[in-house]
Amino acid sequence: MVTALAQRLESQRKEIDDTLATFALSPTQLQEVKAKMRVELERGLKKDSHPTASVKMLPTYVYRTPDGTERGKYLALDLGGTNFRVLVVKIRTEMLSYFHICLNKILLFQLFDLIVQCISDFLDYMGMKNTRLPLGFTFSFPCNQTGIDKVKNTQMLLSIDHPCFKATDCEGYDVVDMLREAIKRRNEFDLDIVAIVNDTVGTMMTCAYEDPKCQIGLIAGTGSNVCYMEEMNNIEFVEGDEGQMCVNTEWGGFGENDNTEDIRTRYDREVDGGSLNPGKQRFEKMTSGMYLGEIVRQILIDLTKRGLLFRGRITERLKTKGIFETKFLSQIERYSSHLCLGLDSTCDDSIIVKEVCGAVSRRAAQLCGAGMAAVVDKIRENRGLDHLEITVGVDGTLYKLHPHFSTILKDTVRELAPNCKVDFILSEDGSGKGAALITAVTLRDIMARFRREMENGLGRDTNPTATVKMLPTFVRSIPDGSEKGDFIALDLGGSNFRILRVKVSHEKKQTVQMENQIYETPEDIIQGSGSRLFDHVAECLGDFMEKQKIKDKKLPMGFTFSFPCAHSKLDEAVLLTWTKRFKASGVEGMDVVKLLNKAIKKRGVNIMAVVNDTVGTMMTCGFDDQRCEVGIIIGTGTNACYMEELRHIDMVEGDEGRMCINTEWGAFGDDGTLEDIRTEFDREIDRGSLNPGKQLFEKMVSGMYMGELVRLILVKMAKEGLLFEGRITPELLTKGTFETKHVSAIEKSKEGLTKAKEILTRLGVEPSEDDCIAVQHVCTIVSFRSANLIAATLGAILTRVKDNKNSPRLRTTVGIDGSLYKMHPQYARRLHKTVRRLVPESDVRFLLSESGSGKGAAMVTAWASRLADQTRQIAETLAEFRLTKEQLLEVKKRMRTEIQNGLSKNTQSTATVKMLPTYVRSTPDGTG
């Protein structure tokens, strides 16, 4: 029996190996791919064979790479997907100076009118509508160019994630003319469009600015493509023989003439057949991030059908096209785990899934390497060299984020082109010199991503792996005006905490009286043991009660605890993880109410409710405006809560009514969801934090990290000679010296530049006026990004609330608190404006919580007290109807007496039970 099992396992292993073997490319096969690519490169350059060549070799009319003499100020557009960037680039003799970034927007209809709308918004924000600037346009689609500023678009199809985007009215037309016409229709500004380039060309030019040997551009991301500097005398369909011109290969089409059929698998054919353009872009479908995840999904389905994976059970999610994203490959191959798709998996399954991902990504990298080897060998032969040294500028998420792709690519090039020394330089700036500081974001895309994470957090099956935990709070309503009583509120969420006494009365009208005191929590207690932390809280509570002369009163207490907790009822909260520098031991995984009760058991208070600060903020504002159903904190940390329909909360029983959900949105992106918009500065912040890899969204937007983000940017700009004449002081290099309050001060409209000079001077810098302007711009970009990202996640919540109500227009109030929102001079306005744009069918009032979240904890306690009183009154009423065993025996005895009285001639007249005769003398006996 053991032998049979071993044979069966060996047979299954062989099936898996045979499947993955179809993706393994031998050195001979890779040499053949290189040779075939070389043939197609040559065919694309020839006048006679160009029309039928699969590699189109499109001329770009870019005749040279940068030589360092470029200078001036330019406007740049970067369009390559469902979002685009608008940038101002100022170039000095040395390199890039400073730049600004516009909101990205989803492009679905009226493409160029929407582009011009965004340009208008950007120029308006920059105060540059009267400035005529030269415009460069990065347009990342296959184009036939007849000049540097003349181009006909031949194809515009985006990814399987955006099947609705096929701007067919652009195909065959000069897109530069279409942009010019859209600018004329707008009639608000004038631009001089001087150049249009592909994203590969933009990447090459960006990297060539840093490395003069860079004469090749490679994109290895959602799509795959290469450009390089070709000798003019080899480009037969362009006039002229002298010099060079950059050629956009469009190598994604390689294989359309069936010359790669010997290495394509049936999974490649399935993916191709289900694509928007069957038979086209075959090489891209084997190598690019748009398709690798889908290839893996097809393999997993096939192996499961054959009983080799997941016990032979295929889930509906695995059947969903596009559900297995290419970013999952990177995560699986880096962390040796697979993502939850509702699969019943074993450890062996995880190993097999990782092998599948590795086989698919390795082949992709090797194919790109074989293609690159063909390109560099051609350049070497063009120049008649025995040995070539050259640099490739690279961009793309697959190259940047996958743990092995770049290494395999480089190794393959080295093996297939031994006479070429090829260096690869990563384009930190992308195809437009703008993303080095802040990556522009597609806000509607961020909304959609966060909406999906909310769904995952609410689902019973998906919650364990969800990053946005969507924690139930067991707060079931907002204040209704009937709250009254005397309460204590404890507000713990940072290095300082507050204790409040809140008295709610109804004499003539509802009034709230509050007295509070702030207590400090020393760093050694924050970082010490949990028992020390709660003993400290108890001591401060005793001090407060003594000062308030309420030591002998038994008052209900509400506890605002501003850390991620799992609730099973209103007065229970198990800490999931510390945030915001707190590391007190022995608390994570424990009920903080029990820990606090243990510390304060002699104080005579009763903890009736524990809530997050966002819930406290919502309840505080809900006391003043009963339409308030969302609470947000934008301060040292950030978080949000909102009222969700119970029927959508899988983790809580019941379908009727609503419950407040604590989203814990600070962890949004912890699974890699935001990797495409995180910058090198975000990653440096994360690496230096107490919780690397955690709370990534919070680290991009909150006050704890904003000043440090700005400092890191200033340090890099100074190192590159763009600020302070390249001088860097020890103060500027010291972590934490540039605080978020400095960002707020520098962005003040009238005194901002003066404040910038004062702050920089304190950091040992002697800034020029230009330096102060540049620093102000950096602060603006960082804070603007924060407001936009918060607006996107808030927009997702508001859209969900609107959908829950099934209402054509949402009317609601958002309660809001936090030092960043309160103190930054522009933050609130930017946030409100962006929310209005993202959720246009809504009337949203933003209500500032003047009393903080402590009052809200008291409101929750008042609600809980009212609920407890109602429950007690109902119980007392129902108690009157309960009968003891003794009472029931007495009823039996009395009934027996009355029956006897009713049957007796002497007592029948006074009996209550009359026992009247009916003269029916028998029951049926079945004989009739």
Side-chain angles (χ1 to χ4, degrees):
M1 192 170 180
V2 174
T3 304
L5 177 61
Q7 288 175 342
R8 182 165 64 84
L9 292 174
E10 184 177 350
S11 174
Q12 289 177 341
R13 182 68 249 184
K14 185 176 184 305
E15 279 194 70
I16 294 168
D17 290 343
D18 289 346
T19 299
L20 299 184
T22 61
F23 289 84
L25 299 175
S26 67
T28 301
Q29 287 176 307
L30 289 171
Q31 287 287 0
E32 289 175 358
V33 171
K34 173 190 171 184
K36 291 175 182 178
M37 178 67 82
R38 179 64 186 273
V39 169
E40 288 302 304
L41 294 174
E42 298 291 350
R43 291 185 72 240
L45 291 170
K46 303 297 181 185
K47 198 170 189 177
D48 295 334
S49 55
H50 173 81
T52 59
S54 62
V55 180
K56 288 300 180 185
M57 306 296 284
L58 303 174
T60 66
Y61 296 89
V62 173
Y63 293 98
R64 65 176 179 88
T65 55
D67 62 6
T69 62
E70 297 78 12
R71 65 180 67 208
K73 186 185 288 187
Y74 305 88
L75 189 68
L77 304 185
D78 188 357
L79 173 65
T82 53
N83 63 78
F84 72 98
R85 293 180 297 166
V86 185
L87 312 90
V88 167
V89 181
K90 184 177 180 182
I91 304 175
R92 296 177 180 173
T93 303
E94 301 84 19
M95 58 176 70
L96 176 70
S97 180
Y98 49 86
F99 34 80
H100 311 268
I101 292 174
C102 170
L103 300 179
N104 293 354
K105 302 195 177 184
I106 289 196
L107 307 177
L108 297 174
F109 309 105
Q110 299 176 328
L111 178 63
F112 288 94
D113 285 335
L114 186 50
I115 289 175
V116 172
Q117 168 67 53
C118 294
I119 296 173
S120 176
D121 290 348
F122 177 77
L123 293 176
D124 188 51
Y125 168 72
M126 293 297 299
M128 296 174 60
K129 276 198 172 175
N130 296 322
T131 304
R132 183 181 172 91
L133 293 177
L135 171 67
F137 190 6
T138 300
F139 188 72
S140 304
F141 303 95
C143 293
N144 283 323
Q145 287 190 242
T146 56
I148 190 66
D149 63 346
K150 294 179 174 59
V151 56
K152 288 186 178 180
N153 178 38
T154 59
Q155 182 184 9
M156 188 184 292
L157 288 172
L158 296 190
S159 74
I160 55 176
D161 296 323
H162 301 91
C164 53
F165 188 172
K166 184 180 181 181
T168 51
D169 57 338
C170 299
E171 294 179 15
Y173 288 86
D174 188 327
V175 293
V176 176
D177 283 346
M178 295 180 75
L179 179 59
R180 285 181 175 135
E181 288 299 318
I183 292 171
K184 285 182 183 178
R185 285 194 296 273
R186 187 85 185 177
N187 197 29
E188 289 183 3
F189 52 85
D190 192 14
L191 297 172
D192 183 17
I193 305 173
V194 298
I196 181 167
V197 296
N198 188 274
D199 55 346
T200 53
V201 182
T203 297
M204 181 189 74
M205 298 293 279
T206 297
C207 294
Y209 203 86
E210 310 295 333
D211 184 348
K213 290 192 298 183
C214 180
Q215 296 203 315
I216 304 173
L218 167 65
I219 297 293
T222 305
S224 179
N225 195 18
V226 160
C227 72
Y228 71 98
M229 297 302 294
E230 176 60 81
E231 303 302 314
M232 282 287 293
N233 58 10
N234 290 335
I235 311 173
E236 293 187 357
F237 44 85
V238 175
E239 291 184 2
D241 292 329
E242 297 296 321
Q244 297 177 322
M245 179 188 288
C246 180
V247 169
N248 167 25
T249 67
E250 286 297 337
W251 77 2
F254 178 53
E256 289 179 14
N257 54 4
D258 295 333
N259 59 357
T260 58
E261 281 306 292
D262 58 323
I263 61 171
R264 289 178 79 216
T265 68
R266 62 190 179 95
Y267 308 105
D268 297 309
R269 295 184 180 92
E270 286 174 10
V271 169
D272 180 39
S275 68
L276 288 170
N277 54 350
K280 303 294 184 183
Q281 299 296 104
R282 290 183 179 178
F283 188 70
E284 186 171 76
K285 289 170 184 172
M286 298 168 72
T287 60
S288 75
M290 188 186 295
Y291 300 99
L292 297 189
E294 185 63 11
I295 293 173
V296 169
R297 188 183 71 88
Q298 294 289 350
I299 299 170
L300 298 184
I301 288 175
D302 180 50
L303 293 178
T304 306
K305 285 180 178 178
R306 289 191 268 160
L308 305 174
L309 266 181
F310 312 131
R311 299 180 175 89
R313 290 192 286 271
I314 303 176
T315 65
E316 287 302 314
R317 291 193 74 196
L318 187 58
K319 291 179 184 177
T320 305
K321 182 178 178 181
I323 194 70
F324 201 103
E325 299 174 46
T326 297
K327 68 179 181 181
F328 294 172
L329 275 74
S330 300
Q331 294 169 17
I332 289 168
E333 292 188 63
R334 175 175 279 118
Y335 301 116
S336 301
S337 62
H338 70 267
L339 288 99
C340 177
L341 295 174
L343 301 168
D344 183 15
S345 60
T346 66
C347 291
D348 287 341
D349 290 336
S350 298
I351 293 170
I352 294 168
V353 171
K354 184 177 180 180
E355 290 175 355
V356 171
C357 293
V360 172
S361 63
R362 180 176 182 81
R363 185 190 67 165
Q366 287 179 320
L367 288 174
C368 285
M372 181 59 69
V375 171
V376 296
D377 254 350
K378 176 166 176 51
I379 294 173
R380 181 180 62 82
E381 292 178 18
N382 283 348
R383 300 178 184 178
L385 299 174
D386 294 329
H387 186 79
L388 173 70
E389 291 187 10
I390 198 166
T391 298
V392 179
V394 194
D395 200 9
T397 53
L398 189 57
Y399 185 93
K400 288 179 177 179
L401 300 179
H402 191 281
H404 311 304
F405 188 95
S406 62
T407 301
I408 296 170
L409 169 65
K410 294 172 186 177
D411 290 344
T412 305
V413 175
R414 191 179 304 113
E415 291 167 10
L416 298 181
N419 295 323
C420 301
K421 183 180 181 299
V422 184
D423 293 322
F424 291 78
I425 178 173
L426 185 62
S427 172
E428 294 290 346
D429 306 321
S431 56
K433 274 266 193 180
L437 291 183
I438 303 295
T439 303
V441 297
T442 313
L443 294 180
R444 292 193 185 277
D445 185 38
I446 299 299
M447 278 180 66
R449 296 183 204 180
F450 187 70
R451 185 73 183 267
R452 287 194 295 270
E453 291 300 310
M454 291 173 70
E455 296 280 359
N456 289 340
L458 290 170
R460 187 184 304 276
D461 296 332
T462 50
N463 176 269
T465 57
T467 56
V468 180
K469 284 300 181 184
M470 304 295 285
L471 303 172
T473 66
F474 294 85
V475 173
R476 298 175 185 268
S477 71
I478 56 175
D480 63 1
S482 65
E483 294 77 18
K484 61 181 179 180
D486 196 353
F487 310 98
I488 293 177
L490 178 63
D491 189 355
L492 176 63
S495 55
N496 294 324
F497 71 94
R498 288 194 306 160
I499 302 176
L500 307 91
R501 184 182 181 188
V502 181
K503 291 190 280 188
V504 187
S505 60
H506 285 271
E507 294 176 357
K508 294 183 180 179
K509 64 176 184 177
Q510 192 174 42
T511 59
V512 178
Q513 293 178 291
M514 289 196 305
E515 296 179 66
N516 73 88
Q517 186 164 341
I518 296 175
Y519 293 87
E520 183 182 358
T521 309
E523 195 72 18
D524 63 320
I525 289 179
I526 287 175
Q527 305 286 331
S529 68
S531 58
R532 282 191 67 201
L533 172 64
F534 288 108
D535 285 346
H536 175 69
V537 171
E539 289 173 10
C540 296
L541 178 61
D543 176 74
F544 180 80
M545 294 179 73
E546 187 167 333
K547 289 177 179 176
Q548 289 289 314
K549 299 179 181 179
I550 53 175
K551 287 186 71 174
D552 298 327
K553 288 191 175 184
K554 290 188 177 295
L555 298 181
M557 185 170 86
F559 183 20
T560 301
F561 188 70
S562 306
F563 303 94
C565 290
H567 292 253
S568 59
K569 50 187 178 180
L570 189 59
D571 60 351
E572 181 181 286
V574 175
L575 177 64
L576 298 177
T577 182
W578 283 119
T579 58
K580 294 178 286 190
R581 300 200 335 272
F582 274 70
K583 281 287 183 181
S585 61
V587 184
E588 291 182 347
M590 304 295 289
D591 180 0
V592 295
V593 176
K594 286 184 178 178
L595 295 176
L596 182 57
N597 270 331
K598 182 179 178 181
I600 65 173
K601 59 185 177 183
K602 297 179 182 178
R603 306 291 176 186
V605 294
N606 177 28
I607 301 176
M608 300 197 67
V610 58
V611 297
N612 190 274
D613 53 349
T614 53
V615 182
T617 296
M618 183 188 75
M619 296 296 282
T620 297
C621 296
F623 185 80
D624 299 320
D625 182 346
Q626 291 179 19
R627 288 199 313 181
C628 182
E629 51 193 340
V630 181
I632 299 184
I633 299 293
I634 312 173
T636 305
T638 184
N639 194 15
C641 70
Y642 73 103
M643 297 301 294
E644 176 61 85
E645 300 295 319
L646 259 175
R647 66 181 185 272
H648 295 152
I649 309 172
D650 287 355
M651 296 88 71
V652 177
E653 292 184 1
D655 292 331
E656 297 298 322
R658 299 198 298 174
M659 180 180 288
C660 180
I661 288 291
N662 166 24
T663 66
E664 287 298 337
W665 74 11
F668 179 39
D670 285 3
D671 60 350
T673 305
L674 299 177
E675 282 307 301
D676 57 330
I677 66 168
R678 291 177 72 222
T679 68
E680 60 181 287
F681 310 107
D682 296 310
R683 294 185 177 93
E684 189 170 347
I685 288 275
D686 180 46
R687 284 193 298 269
S689 69
L690 287 172
N691 54 348
K694 304 293 184 183
Q695 300 294 108
L696 296 184
F697 181 73
E698 184 169 75
K699 289 169 185 173
M700 296 173 74
V701 300
S702 75
M704 181 178 289
Y705 304 99
M706 184 176 288
E708 184 65 6
L709 270 172
V710 170
R711 186 189 70 82
L712 291 175
I713 296 168
L714 299 185
V715 168
K716 179 171 183 179
M717 292 178 73
K719 284 181 178 178
E720 295 180 350
L722 308 178
L723 279 177
F724 319 136
E725 296 181 349
R727 294 190 299 272
I728 304 175
T729 65
E731 292 87 350
L732 189 59
L733 288 172
T734 303
K735 182 178 179 180
T737 53
F738 200 103
E739 301 176 51
T740 298
K741 66 180 181 181
H742 296 158
V743 178
S744 298
I746 288 171
E747 286 196 64
K748 289 181 178 178
S749 56
K750 292 183 179 179
E751 56 190 87
L753 293 178
T754 302
K755 290 291 184 183
K757 187 168 185 177
E758 291 175 4
I759 292 163
L760 293 169
T761 300
R762 287 202 297 271
L763 293 176
V765 177
E766 297 179 7
S768 65
E769 184 178 349
D770 283 349
D771 287 334
C772 292
I773 293 171
V775 170
Q776 190 179 59
H777 288 329
V778 171
C779 291
T780 299
I781 291 169
V782 173
S783 64
F784 212 150
R785 182 187 71 160
S786 170
N788 287 339
L789 286 173
I790 292 285
T793 47
L794 175 58
I797 290 175
L798 293 172
T799 303
R800 182 170 180 87
V801 172
K802 178 177 176 292
D803 291 347
N804 284 345
K805 294 181 176 182
N806 195 25
S807 172
R809 190 167 189 86
L810 174 67
R811 290 178 173 82
T812 193
T813 297
V814 175
I816 196 162
D817 197 7
S819 55
L820 182 57
Y821 180 87
K822 288 179 178 179
M823 306 304 294
H824 191 285
Q826 312 294 337
Y827 199 99
R829 179 182 60 82
R830 292 169 183 167
L831 175 67
H832 301 171
K833 185 176 180 180
T834 306
V835 169
R836 284 195 296 271
R837 287 181 176 179
L838 294 176
V839 194
E841 295 177 344
S842 64
D843 299 314
V844 181
R845 179 191 182 199
F846 289 87
L847 181 58
L848 184 62
S849 172
E850 299 290 352
S851 308
S853 55
K855 176 183 172 183
M859 291 299 107
V860 176
T861 305
W863 171 77
S865 299
R866 187 184 74 213
L867 188 64
D869 289 342
Q870 290 172 349
T871 303
R872 186 167 54 253
Q873 290 171 11
I874 292 170
E876 289 171 356
T877 301
L878 295 178
E880 297 178 18
F881 292 88
R882 294 196 190 98
L883 297 175
T884 65
K885 183 177 180 180
E886 290 75 15
Q887 287 174 314
L888 290 170
L889 287 171
E890 182 64 26
V891 170
K892 174 188 174 184
K893 179 181 175 182
R894 292 178 186 177
M895 179 62 79
R896 180 70 180 270
T897 300
E898 287 302 304
I899 289 173
Q900 293 295 342
N901 289 341
L903 291 172
S904 173
K905 191 174 184 178
N906 295 330
T907 55
Q908 199 268 346
S909 62
T910 58
T912 57
V913 181
K914 291 300 183 182
M915 305 300 287
L916 301 174
T918 65
Y919 297 95
V920 175
R921 298 176 184 273
S922 68
T923 57
D925 61 4
T927 62

